[in-house]
Amino acid sequence: MSTMNNGRPDIRSMEAFAAVVRYGSMTAAAQRLSVSQPAVTRMVRDLEARVGFALFERNGPKISPTEKGIQFFEESQRVMANLSQLTERAHAIRDERLAAIDIVATPTMSSGLVGPVLSRIVDVLPDFVHVETTTSERVLHALRQRTADLGFSAYPSEHDRLKCLARFESLVVAVVRKGSRYDVDEPIPLSVFARERMATICNGYGIRDAINRAFREESIKPSSEIATNSSLSAAMAARAGLGIALCDPVTALGVPVEGVSIRPLSAKISYAWGLFANDENPLKDRLNLVVEACVSESEKIVQSVEELGAVDKGGSKNRDEV
């Protein structure tokens, strides 16, 4: 296959490609699109020729997306979503109103913060609000590329070309099964993990780096662990009695989970998060309302951790002018 980009993909080919990914075969995609199977095959091959790489691995009648095909599928869904909004956006331009707002957020922020923030500004929201849950790297990338308007993320070490609207900081907490031996008022020392299983975020995430440093400083090696890419999954593991979860405060306090208790740690492991935007945000005069809502909800989380006894009174908040 040629590696040259031979032109812009057409919408129909992208629809055929997406249908094959979703339904698992050319035949099933054809049935969903009400076209012939050879037509779907032609459109997919034409799309592959245009993008310059194989979208599927073919093994007789079996077909599965390549790694690049999966990446292209994710990107294509963003493009198709924007196209589906195009008519409404045109009408909004005509009527001089805000048609939509696109938000990107990490799983932590999407679960524990975005909903409460939006509920505080519901009266000024446009008719269409798109929230995409993705990695922190993609949150920042989407804002830089101006494919999103607002971003909620753990605070990155670098956020050039972005405007930080608000920054917050609190501490990592422990999530324990309700009624367990560790469901007590005293802070939980890291030494318990020398005998208890730890459930927390995988290596490669900023919060895990901070957790690892804390263990190294106390010369403690966890006896066993459950590693996940979601703090909520770690909390659910704790609820199932599989160990003690170490979670960011946004997940622990922002997503109520039945059957667990949130406890402070004796070690102070910092976790920071923020609200970001690009320089040409469509909300403009409404940005202050968004920031105020984010401040209110985030301060509730900071205060809740303080009340656990995990930090000194007077939590940390650093708000930029908007």
Side-chain angles (χ1 to χ4, degrees):
M1 175 179 296
S2 169
T3 58
M4 297 296 292
N5 187 324
N6 297 315
R8 182 178 299 168
D10 65 87
I11 294 175
R12 192 61 174 160
S13 294
M14 291 177 66
E15 289 175 339
F17 161 65
V20 176
V21 173
R22 288 196 186 99
Y23 305 117
S25 72
M26 300 285 187
T27 301
Q31 292 172 346
R32 292 283 181 169
L33 296 174
S34 300
V35 298
S36 68
Q37 183 269 323
V40 170
T41 300
R42 285 195 302 272
M43 284 188 283
V44 169
R45 290 196 180 279
D46 177 68
L47 184 59
E48 288 179 317
R50 289 176 181 273
V51 299
F53 53 83
L55 297 169
F56 294 100
E57 294 176 351
R58 297 166 174 84
N59 184 13
K62 296 181 180 179
I63 187 169
S64 61
T66 61
E67 183 175 344
K68 288 183 179 179
I70 293 172
Q71 294 176 24
F72 183 72
F73 175 76
E74 293 173 352
E75 295 296 334
S76 68
Q77 293 311 287
R78 297 185 184 94
V79 172
M80 297 302 285
N82 285 334
L83 285 174
S84 68
Q85 301 168 29
L86 193 56
T87 300
E88 172 57 25
R89 288 175 185 267
H91 291 166
I93 291 171
R94 179 195 64 195
D95 300 336
E96 298 183 347
R97 60 182 173 83
L98 182 63
I101 179 173
D102 291 291
I103 296 171
V104 283
T106 61
T108 292
M109 300 296 135
S110 184
S111 300
L113 191 59
V114 172
V117 168
L118 294 183
S119 71
R120 286 178 174 267
I121 58 170
V122 65
D123 291 340
V124 301
L125 289 176
D127 293 336
F128 185 84
V129 178
H130 178 238
V131 179
E132 179 183 348
T133 301
T134 185
T135 63
S136 57
E137 293 80 9
R138 284 188 174 271
V139 168
L140 302 182
H141 177 73
L143 291 172
R144 290 188 183 111
Q145 297 299 312
R146 297 181 180 175
T147 58
D149 306 312
L150 290 172
F152 294 77
S153 175
Y155 201 81
S157 57
E158 296 182 7
H159 54 86
D160 61 299
R161 290 187 289 143
L162 295 180
K163 187 171 188 177
C164 179
L165 304 178
R167 181 184 184 276
F168 310 91
E169 188 171 341
S170 188
L171 295 182
V172 171
V173 295
V175 179
V176 302
R177 189 175 189 176
K178 191 174 286 295
S180 69
R181 61 183 293 192
Y182 297 107
D183 186 9
V184 294
D185 291 336
E186 292 79 13
I188 295 176
L190 295 185
S191 59
V192 304
F193 292 100
R195 58 184 181 275
E196 297 289 341
R197 180 182 287 111
M198 174 181 69
T200 193
I201 290 294
C202 304
N203 280 310
Y205 290 85
I207 182 176
R208 181 57 188 268
D209 293 341
I211 290 170
N212 289 345
R213 282 196 302 272
F215 276 104
R216 286 196 301 269
E217 289 171 0
E218 296 194 17
S219 300
I220 297 169
K221 180 177 175 57
S223 61
S224 58
E225 72 174 77
I226 295 175
T228 175
N229 65 348
S230 163
S231 285
L232 182 57
S233 295
M236 297 304 287
R239 186 180 76 164
L242 295 174
I244 299 172
L246 296 183
C247 294
D248 65 86
V250 178
T251 297
L253 280 306
V255 186
V257 176
E258 294 285 342
V260 302
S261 295
I262 314 301
R263 307 308 318 147
L265 292 169
S266 60
K268 291 179 171 57
I269 306 174
S270 294
Y271 179 83
W273 66 98
L275 172 65
F276 300 88
N278 60 47
D279 290 334
E280 295 183 6
N281 194 286
L283 284 175
K284 295 180 181 176
D285 57 332
R286 292 175 243 194
L287 268 182
N288 280 322
L289 295 176
V290 179
V291 174
E292 291 292 343
C294 190
V295 167
S296 296
E297 290 299 325
S298 294
E299 284 185 335
K300 283 171 56 179
I301 293 169
V302 172
Q303 181 63 32
S304 294
V305 175
E306 290 177 354
E307 290 171 356
L308 293 175
V311 296
D312 295 333
K313 293 297 180 181
S316 173
K317 180 197 72 168
N318 178 15
R319 176 183 166 189
D320 291 343
E321 290 298 322
V322 180

